[in-house]
Amino acid sequence: MDPRTITIHDCDFSTYMYEEEIIARIVMLAEQIEQDYAGKNPLFLAVLNGSFMFTADLMKRINIPCEISFIRMSSYQDMQSTGHVKEVLGLTENIEGRDVLIIEDIVDTGHTVNALLHQLQEKNPSSLEIVTLLMKPECLQHQLDVKYVAKSIPNDFVVGYGLDYNGLGRNLRDIYKIVS
Ligand code: IMP
């Protein structure tokens, strides 16, 4: 298939991963997770907004008993420090003693997942792992053990399949990367 070029806001993007490849990778990930969590009733925590499409396609292929819930990360300026502090919003489940898997769209610097791991770890889950559709290993700024990765990609900005560029592009069924 020839790459398709689209324009979102002021930037051009061309097709990078077609839906068929995305789904094939999700099928493999689902098989791995099913094997690892058989008999464990895991709790999936999907991080909105970016992971909504990935979560739906992944969960349709997980055929063991499991639960799914949705959380968000807020970002606010901490008055005590210069950095951004991210806080988990919307977690209503008691995760103590549970086998928890975080579902992310993309791990870039790792700030978001790192903050999430620290906050969830304090609630004493039995286990805690990350499932991500995409990962940019060159950008990672934290020591993170990301167990389930559908695909590692170079340091290019991507949109589609849940990922946005200033609010647009989440509904695209393929993934596009920025044309530099
Ligand atoms: P991190 O905290 O730097 O790992 O960034 C994680 C969040 O930034 C993701 O959940 C996305 O919402 C957003 N993000 C990072 N890279 C991209 C990208 O290439 N396209 C769209 N969103 C991205």
Side-chain angles (χ1 to χ4, degrees):
M1 258 187 280
D2 286 337
R4 197 161 75 93
T5 301
I6 56 168
T7 302
I8 301 178
H9 296 300
D10 53 341
C11 287
D12 294 332
F13 294 83
S14 71
T15 337
Y16 178 62
M17 261 175 101
Y18 286 97
E19 189 182 20
E20 291 74 15
E21 182 189 348
I22 298 170
I23 298 298
R25 286 176 180 271
I26 290 174
V27 167
M28 288 194 287
L29 217 50
E31 282 171 4
Q32 204 186 336
I33 292 169
E34 272 186 354
Q35 282 179 13
D36 293 351
Y37 287 86
K40 289 188 169 174
N41 186 23
L43 170 64
F44 291 88
L45 293 178
V47 185
L48 294 172
N49 293 327
S51 74
F52 79 96
M53 219 180 261
F54 173 44
T55 300
D57 281 331
L58 178 70
M59 298 312 298
K60 280 187 270 182
R61 291 164 179 89
I62 301 266
N63 295 304
I64 54 169
C66 62
E67 291 170 45
I68 169 86
S69 191
F70 296 85
I71 56 172
R72 263 173 197 280
M73 289 301 275
S74 76
S75 190
Y76 66 92
Q77 195 74 42
D78 184 353
M79 303 306 280
Q80 308 296 312
S81 74
T82 49
H84 265 12
V85 177
K86 286 171 181 267
E87 187 192 23
V88 183
L89 299 177
L91 180 65
T92 50
E93 284 75 15
N94 177 8
I95 65 166
E96 189 171 346
R98 298 293 308 268
D99 290 297
V100 176
L101 295 109
I102 297 165
I103 306 182
E104 261 289 11
D105 53 353
I106 186 165
V107 178
D108 186 339
T109 63
H111 291 329
T112 308
V113 160
N114 189 54
L116 198 44
L117 284 174
H118 278 105
Q119 288 170 54
L120 295 183
Q121 208 73 66
E122 284 174 6
K123 299 179 188 296
N124 300 317
S126 169
S127 67
L128 186 56
E129 298 290 351
I130 305 156
V131 186
T132 187
L133 174 66
L134 300 173
M135 176 151 178
K136 298 180 184 171
E138 291 164 28
C139 303
L140 204 57
Q141 291 182 27
H142 298 268
Q143 274 235 299
L144 287 179
D145 183 16
V146 183
K147 187 163 183 187
Y148 302 101
V149 182
K151 184 169 176 142
S152 289
I153 63 167
N155 182 15
D156 294 312
F157 191 82
V158 288
V159 292
Y161 198 74
L163 293 146
D164 76 310
Y165 170 44
N166 285 347
L168 294 180
R170 291 196 199 276
N171 53 319
L172 297 164
R173 54 200 310 152
D174 303 309
I175 294 175
Y176 295 74
K177 81 171 179 185
I178 200 154
V179 179
S180 43

